[in-house]
């Protein structure tokens, strides 16, 4: 097997001009969104100097995701996904433009800023499930995993680049310009999706309102493979999310240097970007379930070992491994959801996946902080990692379908 097949599979870029335009637009909007995230945090802190108000920014983003997400998934499974995504993109652009106006004028109080953040998050909660159906509808089945890998590696790259650019642009041009760049980035996202064909659901449309939501939840409860994939992600995030523990462990084990703390945060991201960039062979395999389980188990084991080490360099190496394992696990989980969910249900299941992917880390950080408060940061890391490995082993044992090859949706 050639070395080229080791790197991320770029066949979707060559075979589908529509996917290529969509990826470019999506990448630009993610970059702008991360710049806005930094800008909002800076502006709220600069106005209030309150950790409570800074924490409220995360709440303004998370609550709409949960409240709007599942109902938006039902809506997405009843209409043209392309049109819903375009409307959501315009809504996000308008919210960013209003943030830019208040950034230039400085007249909006902090609660008003949070309302605009929440409104943008609500549109994002609708656009996310709509975008979740694009890849399996645009690409042949054997290229779906490669398309998802390209989505993931560009998103991770923007996750690294966006906050840094946001900080630089804040210093050079000020708050209003950063928000304006985000608004303009949604224009590229709109252009990328505008050329898509109409994408109504295949099969029977979802029932309206709560009935449609319950139908999606019943599918999740009854489909062992998709359910097992989401449970695996919850095991990895809720039981062993390490980010809230980094400052305490850095103080306990490594002298509390801010430079060391920054390297901890970067090491996980570096591992994730590297693993996705080298995901070509993995995305060509027909066993995403087995890859996901192995990745989640390695994530937990690496974090448990990180909790035991007293060497900063060894710790950084373990965090790189953890980030790489998590990236592989997330990519495989998304592949399972995208390929094994019937199209008529894909909006609702994607919404549930997004909620799990966003809410799980928040709960995991809360769990880690609580356990560390009773014991220590190292103990919280070790116990969380071990529990993650045990939970993944249970999922693997109780869901043998995940250990096998690909299966058709049912």
């Amino acid at each position: 097997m050639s070395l080229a097949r080791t790197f991320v599979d770029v066949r979707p870029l060559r075979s589908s001009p529509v996917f290529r335009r969509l990826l470019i637009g999506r990448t630009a909007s993610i970059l702008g969104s991360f710049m806005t995230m930094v800008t909002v945090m800076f502006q709220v802190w600069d106005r209030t100097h309150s950790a409570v108000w800074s924490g409220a920014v995360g709440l303004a983003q998370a609550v709409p995701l949960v409240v709007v997400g599942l109902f938006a998934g039902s809506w997405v499974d009843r209409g043209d996904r392309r049109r819903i995504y375009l409307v959501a993109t315009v809504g996000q652009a308008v919210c960013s433009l209003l943030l830019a106006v208040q950034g230039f004028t400085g007249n909006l109080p902090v609660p008003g800023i949070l309302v605009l953040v929440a409104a943008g998050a609500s549109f994002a909660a609708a656009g996310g499930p709509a975008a979740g159906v694009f890849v399996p509808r645009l690409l042949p089945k054997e290229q779906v995993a490669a398309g998802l890998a390209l989505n993931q590696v560009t998103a991770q790259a923007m996750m690294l680049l966006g906050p840094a650019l946001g900080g630089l642009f804040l210093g050079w041009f000020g708050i209003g310009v950063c928000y304006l760049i985000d608004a303009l980035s949604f224009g590229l996202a709109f252009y990328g999706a505008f050329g898509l064909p109409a994408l109504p659901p295949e099969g029977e449309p979802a029932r309206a309102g709560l009935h449609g939501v319950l139908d999606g939840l019943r599918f999740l409860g009854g489909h062992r493979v998709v359910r097992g994939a989401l449970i695996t992600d919850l095991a990895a995030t809720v039981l062993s999310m390490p980010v809230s523990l980094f400052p305490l462990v850095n103080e306990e084990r490594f002298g509390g240097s801010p430079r060391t703390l920054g390297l901890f945060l970067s090491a996980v991201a570096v591992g994730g970007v590297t693993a996705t960039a080298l995901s070509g062979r993995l995305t060509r395999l027909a066993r995403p379930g087995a890859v996901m389980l192995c990745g989640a188990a390695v994530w937990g084991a690496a974090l448990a070992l990180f909790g035991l080490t007293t060497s900063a360099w060894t710790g950084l190496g373990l965090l790189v491994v953890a980030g790489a394992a998590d990236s592989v696990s997330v990519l495989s989980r998304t592949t399972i959801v995208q390929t094994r969910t019937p199209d008529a249900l894909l909006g609702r299941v994607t919404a549930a996946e997004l909620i799990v992917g966003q809410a799980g880390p928040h709960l995991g950080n809360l769990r880690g902080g609580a356990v560390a408060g009773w014991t220590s940061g190292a103990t919280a890391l070790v116990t969380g990692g071990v529990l993650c490995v045990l939970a993944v082993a249970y999922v693997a044992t109780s869901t043998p379908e995940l250990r096998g090859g690909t299966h058709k949706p049912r």
Side-chain angles (χ1 to χ4, degrees), residues 52-138:
V52 174
W53 279 111
S54 296
V57 174
L59 195 64
Q61 295 170 321
V63 171
L65 179 71
V66 175
V67 174
V68 177
L70 283 177
F71 286 93
S74 180
W75 179 37
V76 163
D77 284 338
R78 297 181 63 232
D80 178 5
R81 281 78 174 264
R82 168 188 173 272
R83 180 174 297 177
I84 292 170
Y85 178 79
L86 291 175
V87 169
T89 300
V90 170
Q92 289 176 274
V94 169
C95 291
S96 293
L97 190 59
L98 292 174
L99 283 170
V101 170
Q102 68 81 29
F104 286 120
T105 62
N107 294 328
L108 190 66
V110 169
I113 296 173
L114 296 183
V115 168
L116 290 177
V117 170
S122 297
F123 283 112
V133 308
F134 291 162
V135 172
R137 292 286 290 270
L138 295 175

Side-chain angles (χ1 to χ4, degrees), residues 11 13 25 65 96 98 111 142 188 215 235 242 263 268 281 291 332 370 375 384 394 404 406:
R11 286 179 299 166
L13 296 176
L65 179 71
S96 293
L98 292 174
E142 66 273 10
L188 286 175
D215 289 340
L263 288 174
V268 177
R281 298 193 183 198
V291 173
S332 301
T375 56
Y394 171 77
T406 56

Side-chain angles (χ1 to χ4, degrees), residues 21-36 85 89 92-93 96-97 177-192:
R21 288 196 305 273
L22 189 68
L23 181 66
I24 292 171
R26 178 180 180 272
T27 302
S29 69
I30 292 173
L31 176 64
S33 296
F34 275 107
M35 290 179 65
T36 286
Y85 178 79
T89 300
Q92 289 176 274
S96 293
L97 190 59
V177 170
C178 290
Y179 288 134
L180 185 60
I181 290 173
D182 187 25
L184 295 175
S185 75
F186 286 114
L188 286 175
F190 187 93
Y191 168 76

Side-chain angles (χ1 to χ4, degrees), residues 8-17 19-20 143 150 284:
V8 64
D9 188 352
V10 297
R11 286 179 299 166
L13 296 176
R14 295 195 298 261
S15 65
S16 176
F19 173 80
R20 187 167 60 243
Q143 293 185 22
L150 288 166
R284 290 181 172 91

